[in-house]
Amino acid sequence: MNNYTQATKLHLKTKLGVSGKSVIEEMFFTPPLKIIDPIYEGDVANIMLLSVSAGLMKGDCQDIDIFIGKNSKIKLTSQSFEKVHNTQDGKALRRTIVHVENDAMLDFFPLPVIPFAQSNFENTTQIFLDAKSTLYYSEIFCAGRVSRNEVFDFTRFDSKLHIFIDKKIKLYDNMLLEPKDVELQNMCMFDNYTHYLSLVIKNDMIDFEEFREMVLQEEGNIGVSKHDCFILLRALGRGSEELLNLREKVILEYQKRIKIK
């Protein structure tokens, strides 16, 4: 049963304001979710999503709806890591739907999810793009409370990502981990790594080969590939910070190269 008397929902809609800055046009949220007013970095609005709770429990369900209006430039992140507690015989759910209109940019990087022992977490993200939308979207998975040697002790972790362009499915990614059925620390899976970064980029100004060459100069277990109009970066690590730093570094570095050109 959810700890709150009403469904946990969050709605955010942005637009380009008369000042030329991206602004929040609509917002609505129920506890424990909240939205913090934008902080501006040039013409980009940085918006933070907060969850004023100890984490997700058995029966908890979050429904998040985000609409990025035409010409908006938005960076969206969360305030803290998402902890998923022991869900016993149940599970915790998070469903996110995102729309990004033409000539809009969304850089969305929720902070890592930490599944505690005996937790069952199901995450579904659907992103609807227009042909001229720009997207940077990432997820970071953590094997558990690593500092307590609680590694891959969760029951089930299921994260699905669907990305559509002009209402047609273009990318589907499914990360399903069930430690009781598969040895996740074997060399074909995580080996001795405990953290995993998945970054999806849609930016028509990026030259894939140049981007790939730049990324592979970084240290670490990193792979870069291309699918349709998307660039996919995958990386394994032993801590969240190194993967967050890698994400930020490669995006900022290439954005600088685009501006120089």
Side-chain angles (χ1 to χ4, degrees), residues 32-61:
L33 298 176
K34 295 182 71 175
I35 299 171
I36 299 299
D37 288 339
I39 297 174
Y40 289 93
E41 184 181 335
D43 60 351
V44 178
N46 290 272
I47 301 174
M48 184 173 289
L49 309 182
L50 271 68
S51 179
V52 286
S53 76
L56 292 168
M57 311 289 184
K58 173 184 175 181
D60 281 352
C61 179

Side-chain angles (χ1 to χ4, degrees), residues 138-156:
S138 66
E139 296 178 2
I140 293 180
F141 163 81
C142 175
R145 291 184 287 184
V146 177
S147 61
R148 299 189 181 192
N149 293 318
E150 190 180 284
V151 178
F152 297 113
D153 287 338
F154 54 87
T155 302
R156 190 171 189 267

Side-chain angles (χ1 to χ4, degrees), residues 33-241:
L33 298 176
K34 295 182 71 175
I35 299 171
I36 299 299
D37 288 339
I39 297 174
Y40 289 93
E41 184 181 335
D43 60 351
V44 178
N46 290 272
I47 301 174
M48 184 173 289
L49 309 182
L50 271 68
S51 179
V52 286
S53 76
L56 292 168
M57 311 289 184
K58 173 184 175 181
D60 281 352
C61 179
Q62 296 180 348
D63 283 303
I64 299 172
D65 176 47
I66 297 165
F67 189 96
I68 308 300
K70 185 177 175 65
N71 294 313
S72 295
K73 293 183 179 180
I74 305 293
K75 275 189 178 180
L76 190 62
T77 189
S78 49
Q79 176 223 13
S80 60
F81 291 14
E82 186 69 84
K83 304 174 185 69
V84 185
H85 294 267
N86 182 348
T87 54
Q88 302 166 28
D89 58 345
K91 62 183 175 181
L93 303 172
R94 182 171 66 197
R95 298 185 290 251
T96 304
I97 297 178
V98 179
H99 290 83
V100 185
E101 289 197 316
N102 271 325
D103 301 313
M105 185 280 290
L106 174 64
D107 185 354
F108 189 13
F109 49 109
L111 289 180
V113 174
I114 304 176
F116 287 16
Q118 299 177 50
S119 65
N120 184 343
F121 178 59
E122 187 174 303
N123 178 59
T124 303
T125 302
Q126 293 182 308
I127 301 177
F128 296 86
L129 305 174
D130 288 340
K132 296 181 181 179
S133 307
T134 297
L135 175 72
Y136 303 90
Y137 176 77
S138 66
E139 296 178 2
I140 293 180
F141 163 81
C142 175
R145 291 184 287 184
V146 177
S147 61
R148 299 189 181 192
N149 293 318
E150 190 180 284
V151 178
F152 297 113
D153 287 338
F154 54 87
T155 302
R156 190 171 189 267
F157 183 93
D158 186 7
S159 184
K160 296 183 177 71
L161 172 65
H162 309 75
I163 302 183
F164 302 80
I165 298 179
D166 292 335
K167 300 181 180 179
K168 295 180 180 179
I169 185 74
K170 293 292 184 178
L171 178 67
Y172 173 68
D173 191 16
N174 183 16
M175 182 176 179
L176 174 59
L177 303 175
E178 293 178 303
K180 70 180 189 323
D181 294 333
V182 178
E183 174 50 60
L184 296 176
Q185 290 179 287
N186 74 60
M187 65 181 297
C188 296
M189 296 293 288
F190 285 84
D191 197 13
N192 60 350
Y193 294 97
T194 53
H195 294 68
Y196 169 73
L197 165 67
S198 172
L199 170 62
V200 179
I201 299 173
K202 180 190 176 293
N203 184 335
D204 297 336
M205 296 182 68
I206 292 181
D207 179 279
F208 170 70
E209 291 299 335
E210 184 181 40
F211 180 83
R212 181 176 181 275
E213 181 180 350
M214 180 195 75
V215 171
L216 295 183
Q217 291 175 3
E218 299 293 325
E219 294 183 1
N221 196 329
I222 307 169
V224 183
S225 60
K226 187 173 184 180
H227 173 75
D228 200 81
C229 59
F230 299 101
I231 293 175
L232 311 175
L233 185 154
R234 304 287 191 261
L236 291 168
R238 297 182 179 87
S240 298
E241 289 301 321

